Amino acid sequence: MSGQHQRLPLQVDPIRLAAREEHLQGTIPLKQMKRLINALSSNEGEVFIDAEFSVDMNRVVLLTGQIKTDAKLICQRCMREMDLPIALDFQLAFVRSEAEMEKLPEGYEATLIDNTTMMLSDIIEDEILLALPTIPRHLDDSCSSEIVESWSGEQTNETNTEDVKRDNPFDVLASLKTDK
Ligand SMILES: [Zn+2]
């Protein structure tokens, strides 16, 4: 299990890493994202991260990349567990103060750096939390088919008893034939 993936730093210093255009690629166990797993039905699995720090032409420090994970949630319609594959592209702009945040050009998603360093898992966790549906539900088809299945299951019991009744005369005929 260990050593399969490149190690990601626990803490990152966005400004320093942006200066050397650090590329981060690796995984973080879902278990490390406490706020996220509160919203999930399973804490098993990993989050895959492929992202790069940079400084853009507006001198804004950015983290740009992709996050992938397979989350499990409870469908709020049928209350069964559902798989939710998450694959999202993100771009975050790091600012050191509210004032800097206000000066950001339009279209940036701002993140405030509290200290010089931040927990990488916190940054990634926030992005996933934003991507989670407020009311998780199966895709229309898969969820309703499960409901129809259990409903028609009750119907099948009735038709089964009819089938048994219909079968009985045949059994009697068959036994009469063999008797002769
Ligand atoms: Zn469902």
Side-chain angles (χ1 to χ4, degrees), residues 104-156:
L104 268 185
E106 287 243 345
Y108 284 96
E109 187 189 340
T111 300
L112 196 62
I113 307 173
D114 293 331
N115 303 303
T116 47
T117 59
M118 303 173 77
M119 291 290 289
L120 180 64
S121 60
D122 278 345
I123 301 171
I124 302 303
E125 188 175 17
D126 282 341
E127 287 306 298
I128 301 174
L129 280 168
L130 285 173
L132 286 184
T134 6
I135 303 170
R137 270 185 285 194
H138 282 109
L139 292 176
D140 284 348
D141 286 352
S142 55
C143 194
S144 59
S145 75
E146 281 184 4
I147 288 168
V148 168
E149 235 171 67
S150 64
W151 184 76
S152 67
E154 288 173 24
Q155 298 264 306
T156 318

Side-chain angles (χ1 to χ4, degrees), residues 34-162:
K34 303 276 184 245
R35 289 171 298 142
L36 176 62
I37 57 177
N38 275 340
L40 305 180
S41 59
S42 167
N43 62 6
E44 296 298 323
E46 292 180 314
V47 181
F48 178 77
I49 296 129
D50 186 354
E52 200 163 38
F53 283 99
S54 63
V55 183
D56 77 356
M57 57 184 183
N58 295 311
R59 308 300 302 159
V60 179
V61 168
L62 298 174
L63 179 61
T64 313
Q66 280 140 22
I67 300 171
K68 278 185 200 156
T69 190
D70 287 313
K72 286 190 191 301
L73 299 103
I74 298 298
C75 166
Q76 294 305 300
R77 188 157 43 193
C78 67
M79 303 312 283
R80 288 182 220 209
E81 193 171 69
M82 59 178 273
D83 293 317
L84 183 74
I86 295 173
L88 57 99
D89 295 325
F90 71 98
Q91 184 169 70
L92 284 176
F94 294 93
V95 291
R96 276 162 297 193
S97 63
E98 301 272 344
E100 239 182 77
M101 196 181 282
E102 276 161 30
K103 274 189 274 172
L104 268 185
E106 287 243 345
Y108 284 96
E109 187 189 340
T111 300
L112 196 62
I113 307 173
D114 293 331
N115 303 303
T116 47
T117 59
M118 303 173 77
M119 291 290 289
L120 180 64
S121 60
D122 278 345
I123 301 171
I124 302 303
E125 188 175 17
D126 282 341
E127 287 306 298
I128 301 174
L129 280 168
L130 285 173
L132 286 184
T134 6
I135 303 170
R137 270 185 285 194
H138 282 109
L139 292 176
D140 284 348
D141 286 352
S142 55
C143 194
S144 59
S145 75
E146 281 184 4
I147 288 168
V148 168
E149 235 171 67
S150 64
W151 184 76
S152 67
E154 288 173 24
Q155 298 264 306
T156 318
N157 283 342
E158 280 184 39
T159 44
N160 273 350
T161 48
E162 275 179 32

